[in-house]
Amino acid sequence: MSPNLALNQLVDRRRAAGDPLLHLAFGEARLPLLPGLARELAAGADRTAYGPVAGGEAVRAAAAGYFTRRRLPTGPDQIVVAPGSKPLLAALQLVLPGDVLLPRPAWNTYAPQARYAGKRVFGVPIPRECGGVPEPGVLRDTLRTARAAGHDPRILILTLPDNPTGTLAPPPLVRELCAIAEEEDLLIVSDEIYRDLVHDPRATPYVSPAELAPERTVVTTGLSKTLGLGGWRIGAARFPACARGERIRDGVVSAASELWSTLAGPMQRVAEYALAEPPEIRERFAASARLHGAVARAVHALAVRAGARCAPPTGGFYVYPDFEPLREELAGRGAKDSASLAERLLVDSGIVVLPGHHLGDEPAALRFKAATSLLYGDERQQREALEAGDPVRLPHIAATLTRLEEGFAALTGGTR
Amino acid sequence: MSPNLALNQLVDRRRAAGDPLLHLAFGEARLPLLPGLARELAAGADRTAYGPVAGGEAVRAAAAGYFTRRRLPTGPDQIVVAPGSKPLLAALQLVLPGDVLLPRPAWNTYAPQARYAGKRVFGVPIPRECGGVPEPGVLRDTLRTARAAGHDPRILILTLPDNPTGTLAPPPLVRELCAIAEEEDLLIVSDEIYRDLVHDPRATPYVSPAELAPERTVVTTGLSKTLGLGGWRIGAARFPACARGERIRDGVVSAASELWSTLAGPMQRVAEYALAEPPEIRERFAASARLHGAVARAVHALAVRAGARCAPPTGGFYVYPDFEPLREELAGRGAKDSASLAERLLVDSGIVVLPGHHLGDEPAALRFKAATSLLYGDERQQREALEAGDPVRLPHIAATLTRLEEGFAALTGGTR
């Protein structure tokens, strides 16, 4: 099973048994449901027919508008919606030829999807500055080596902003990777599900590979992260407006028709509403991005203060600290690699994180992913957090931050 | 693309252009939405979290009850729900070892799913009496030949009742196939999505392979057909209660976690309600089975009167006539195989059917699938049809039956 979902189930069971865990291992944005979404779901009940595999005209037009407002002019024919972006990413791997190049670490589902598609995965370490993309020089080396060994890497998956590192590749780096994709004839799959959760959009320029390499980039997105709708399963993909793009889209639609049929009708109605981005949706995007940013920065600060290295998070709701500078002290307490580091946090402090090796990272590295979106408390507290000027000072968030600080300190035997 | 969904889209476009087609090529039960289903969908809006991959405890308990009431004692741990039975069938093929044995003809999605899973498909002709199962003697021959050629057929997919033939394999035949499965160590996937649409349950004994070969049968079902909910995407699978069953279930849950995460929360709530089978749900099952039976029998009678051979339909909403006895007359009008026969019906009479070769059948055979559930008219007419003592005498159904009769007659140049 997907290790993050497996861990989530384990944690649910331990919590049900009364264990007060601090669960930071699952990429879920728990936020109150917007009333408009519930309204549209109910209003979509009459959509009981299968309808077109790619989604109805209305939902595809709404998704096209969404992308067009993001400097990606898009027609409805370039869109396929699905029950989550996950099945779209899986279908892309089933349909696209060649092996897969992944940043290392990367979201833990890309690699298993590649295995189901019978593909080989080449993990390329991320640069120091950010995750979600491979380091360009190492990418070139990997391509050379892989081809020399008879493999055929053709698909480059990028995550912008990134899960697990919570960082966003800056435009010059994206540009360099697009240039490599052109030179080396790679197809880019750009997973942009966290795009609307860039913490400070004015300070953080965003460029999609689909702007720079429009004929070789497929973009995926969804509502799970930006609207806290993971359990509703709504995703969309945007295909290039060219013959190649049409071929890939047709292949994905074929796969969809055999694997899941279509996005449920009522969910299509929800997506029509949300992707048209009325004011309350835009406000929620902005408010949740602010909240995620404030809490992710606070956790980042704690990790750095504890002695870890950690790229400052700029999008989404993750931090990915590296405790390498503390290797000696940690070894004394039995934390010698990714797995034992996560185990120490769980056993000593009841803190659940996702160890880096589950994300394709070096098992020997002392790194993990912490999902900071799980600190917002119950629904009333989530609402409070969304509205707060300084959410990290809210008592319930401050208290969990203190617990996290103590947990990090306990790793090296300190008391804070 | 899945040929039935592709055809459906083509027909939608031609209809939108004003072409008055009689569309019988898509397996959709268009029936009015039960108010309880809409109510539960709306009430499930608060289920925004991902939750367990297999589905929450409540929906799995409801599905377990559903199977238990059908002589298949089942615990919630034996259940996995998903956005349709289609993804469950796909996941089974990805997870189970070995190649696939299919009845010939069979539902047009099993074979492409096998191809996505990198499996070889062995089509085994159905017996004369019914579809959904291979003829036992030919199944044994196929196994011998395939193994002699170095292949490894290990999965037998059965459809009870069958799509496309609208027939149900009788218990002695199911028993014989289960015995072969035991002897030959085959795993049975029993697609029972039409189970509650047996036209006359008292006259038509039903036995599931899961009763006879409990440790080697996985059963799938869903709400799309029985409740006219194709567009809501709700399915379930039941795994054997043994170590092997748990391994298969765990494999399917792993695949689910990487391919679609889970069934959407609001849909889980709908499934909890429907699979508990309150009186209004049981009444709808019964009323729609009666309606499907009456109309399918009427279409069967027309086909036979036109000169075709056709097994009498006993479940679901399909007939699968064979125009072989009219081969000479048909050849004179250009209908020489499955594809040209369907084309004649479309071009000459505006009648859309799914030619048998799309279902794995011999391309040279003069067979097609007609989905009789598409004759019920608009929502008001559907309601009338559900309540009618003799639905085929309702003017709107009688009129389409007449049109169909004329279409069949036109195939051989007759005028009825």
Side-chain angles (χ1 to χ4, degrees):
Chain A
M1 174 172 341
S2 181
N4 55 341
L5 293 170
L7 199 57
N8 198 43
Q9 291 186 25
L10 172 67
V11 165
D12 283 350
R13 282 200 296 274
R14 287 189 59 167
R15 272 194 177 149
D19 216 342
L21 298 176
L22 183 57
H23 179 14
L24 305 175
F26 193 62
E28 181 155 14
R30 297 219 176 106
L31 290 172
L33 178 65
L34 282 174
L37 296 167
R39 181 191 69 225
E40 296 300 318
L41 178 72
D46 61 345
R47 303 201 182 180
T48 54
Y50 286 87
V53 172
E57 172 79 18
V59 69
R60 289 184 290 107
Y66 169 92
F67 285 112
T68 300
R69 288 188 294 280
R70 283 159 181 78
R71 298 189 306 277
L72 296 171
T74 308
D77 287 352
Q78 287 172 260
I79 300 293
V80 176
V81 296
S85 58
K86 190 179 266 192
L88 290 164
L89 289 160
L92 280 163
Q93 295 221 40
L94 282 170
V95 162
L96 293 170
D99 295 320
V100 175
L101 297 150
L102 283 186
R104 182 173 188 175
W107 180 45
N108 48 273
T109 281
Y110 304 130
Q113 289 187 340
R115 284 194 292 274
Y116 284 117
K119 291 184 183 311
R120 189 176 282 266
V121 170
F122 297 91
V124 184
I126 58 176
R128 185 168 281 263
E129 62 197 296
C130 67
V133 294
E135 202 285 319
V138 188
L139 174 61
R140 287 186 198 273
D141 291 346
T142 304
L143 283 165
R144 199 165 33 238
T145 316
R147 286 174 181 156
H151 305 302
D152 184 26
R154 301 269 292 273
I155 306 164
L156 173 61
I157 301 185
L158 308 179
T159 317
L160 306 166
D162 181 37
N163 169 9
T165 64
T167 57
L168 174 65
L173 186 49
V174 174
R175 191 173 304 275
E176 191 174 354
L177 291 165
C178 288
I180 296 176
E182 295 284 357
E183 285 162 33
E184 306 281 355
D185 195 20
L186 306 178
L187 195 292
I188 299 173
V189 174
S190 185
D191 179 348
E192 304 188 4
I193 197 166
Y194 297 96
R195 173 164 188 164
D196 298 310
L197 297 180
V198 170
H199 303 153
D200 183 356
R202 275 161 310 185
T204 315
Y206 190 105
V207 68
S208 168
E211 293 174 69
L212 305 172
E215 303 212 336
R216 54 177 69 249
T217 302
V218 177
V219 181
T220 63
T221 188
L223 303 184
S224 301
K225 309 302 179 183
T226 44
L227 294 172
L229 281 186
W232 286 20
R233 317 301 312 123
I234 299 172
R238 175 196 185 272
F239 297 86
C242 60
R244 167 151 61 167
E246 285 169 24
R247 274 199 310 277
I248 300 170
R249 178 205 60 199
D250 291 349
V252 166
V253 170
S254 289
S257 79
E258 308 297 10
L259 300 177
W260 69 80
S261 288
T262 185
L263 173 60
M267 296 304 175
Q268 291 194 27
R269 172 136 185 176
V270 169
E272 286 165 28
Y273 160 74
L275 292 172
E277 298 177 278
E280 65 276 20
I281 294 285
R282 290 204 305 274
E283 279 158 28
R284 169 58 67 87
F285 285 172
S288 48
R290 273 195 310 271
L291 170 60
H292 297 318
V295 177
R297 281 192 301 274
V299 174
H300 169 260
L302 293 183
V304 170
R305 238 184 298 152
R309 285 196 298 250
C310 190
T314 54
F317 36 73
Y318 306 104
V319 295
Y320 194 73
D322 182 351
F323 281 77
E324 187 60 36
L326 302 177
R327 181 171 286 278
E328 253 177 63
E329 297 92 310
L330 290 171
R333 305 186 68 86
K336 297 175 173 175
D337 55 17
S338 169
S340 52
L341 174 62
E343 199 187 329
R344 282 266 61 80
L345 276 170
L346 176 57
V347 173
D348 297 346
S349 308
I351 295 169
V352 189
V353 296
L354 192 66
H357 68 281
H358 281 322
L359 303 155
D361 210 346
E362 286 292 342
L366 295 164
R367 296 191 275 260
F368 58 79
K369 170 171 103 167
T372 57
S373 55
L374 297 166
L375 298 176
Y376 306 156
D378 62 25
E379 193 180 321
R380 187 189 53 75
Q381 292 171 324
Q382 291 164 15
R383 216 173 284 278
E384 219 179 350
L386 272 174
E387 287 162 7
D390 191 359
V392 299
R393 301 184 73 145
L394 290 172
H396 72 281
I397 294 182
T400 45
L401 288 172
T402 300
R403 183 166 165 201
L404 194 56
E405 187 174 12
E406 289 166 355
F408 287 166
L411 278 177
T412 51
T415 53
R416 291 181 65 165
Chain B
M1 173 170 345
S2 181
N4 55 342
L5 293 170
L7 200 55
N8 197 44
Q9 291 184 26
L10 172 67
V11 165
D12 282 350
R13 282 200 297 274
R14 286 189 61 165
R15 271 192 178 153
D19 217 342
L21 298 176
L22 183 56
H23 179 13
L24 305 176
F26 193 61
E28 180 154 14
R30 296 219 176 106
L31 290 172
L33 178 64
L34 282 175
L37 296 167
R39 181 191 67 224
E40 297 300 317
L41 178 72
D46 61 344
R47 303 199 183 181
T48 54
Y50 286 87
V53 171
E57 172 78 19
V59 69
R60 288 184 291 107
Y66 168 91
F67 285 113
T68 300
R69 287 189 294 279
R70 283 159 181 79
R71 299 189 305 278
L72 296 170
T74 308
D77 286 352
Q78 286 173 259
I79 301 293
V80 176
V81 296
S85 58
K86 191 178 266 190
L88 290 164
L89 288 161
L92 280 163
Q93 295 221 41
L94 282 171
V95 161
L96 292 170
D99 294 321
V100 174
L101 297 150
L102 283 186
R104 182 173 187 171
W107 179 46
N108 49 273
T109 281
Y110 304 131
Q113 289 187 341
R115 284 194 292 275
Y116 283 118
K119 292 183 182 313
R120 188 178 283 266
V121 170
F122 297 92
V124 184
I126 58 175
R128 185 168 281 262
E129 64 197 292
C130 66
V133 295
E135 202 285 317
V138 188
L139 174 61
R140 287 186 199 273
D141 291 347
T142 305
L143 282 165
R144 198 164 35 239
T145 316
R147 286 173 182 157
H151 304 303
D152 184 25
R154 300 269 292 274
I155 306 164
L156 174 60
I157 301 184
L158 308 179
T159 317
L160 307 166
D162 181 36
N163 170 9
T165 64
T167 58
L168 175 65
L173 185 50
V174 175
R175 192 173 303 275
E176 189 175 355
L177 291 165
C178 287
I180 296 176
E182 294 284 356
E183 286 161 33
E184 305 281 355
D185 195 20
L186 306 177
L187 195 289
I188 299 174
V189 174
S190 185
D191 179 348
E192 304 188 5
I193 196 165
Y194 297 95
R195 172 164 189 164
D196 299 310
L197 297 180
V198 171
H199 303 154
D200 183 355
R202 273 161 312 185
T204 316
Y206 190 104
V207 66
S208 168
E211 293 174 67
L212 305 172
E215 302 211 338
R216 54 176 69 251
T217 303
V218 178
V219 182
T220 61
T221 188
L223 304 183
S224 300
K225 309 302 179 184
T226 45
L227 294 172
L229 281 186
W232 285 22
R233 316 303 309 123
I234 298 173
R238 176 195 183 272
F239 297 86
C242 61
R244 170 158 50 172
E246 285 169 24
R247 275 199 309 278
I248 300 171
R249 179 205 59 198
D250 291 350
V252 166
V253 170
S254 288
S257 79
E258 308 296 10
L259 300 177
W260 68 80
S261 288
T262 186
L263 173 60
M267 296 306 176
Q268 291 194 27
R269 173 139 183 174
V270 169
E272 285 165 30
Y273 160 74
L275 292 171
E277 298 177 275
E280 65 276 20
I281 293 287
R282 290 202 306 273
E283 279 158 29
R284 169 57 67 90
F285 284 172
S288 47
R290 274 194 312 271
L291 171 60
H292 295 318
V295 177
R297 280 191 303 272
V299 174
H300 169 260
L302 293 183
V304 170
R305 236 183 302 152
R309 284 196 298 250
C310 189
T314 53
F317 36 74
Y318 305 104
V319 295
Y320 194 74
D322 182 350
F323 281 78
E324 187 60 36
L326 302 177
R327 181 171 287 277
E328 254 176 63
E329 297 92 311
L330 290 171
R333 305 186 69 84
K336 297 176 172 174
D337 54 18
S338 170
S340 53
L341 174 61
E343 197 186 331
R344 282 267 59 81
L345 276 171
L346 177 58
V347 173
D348 297 347
S349 308
I351 295 170
V352 189
V353 296
L354 194 65
H357 68 281
H358 281 322
L359 303 155
D361 209 347
E362 286 293 342
L366 295 165
R367 297 191 275 261
F368 58 79
K369 170 170 102 167
T372 57
S373 55
L374 297 166
L375 299 176
Y376 306 156
D378 63 25
E379 192 179 320
R380 186 190 53 75
Q381 293 170 323
Q382 292 163 16
R383 215 174 285 279
E384 218 179 349
L386 272 175
E387 287 161 9
D390 191 0
V392 300
R393 303 185 72 147
L394 290 172
H396 71 281
I397 294 183
T400 45
L401 288 172
T402 301
R403 182 165 166 202
L404 195 55
E405 186 174 13
E406 289 167 355
F408 287 167
L411 279 175
T412 51
T415 54
R416 293 179 65 158

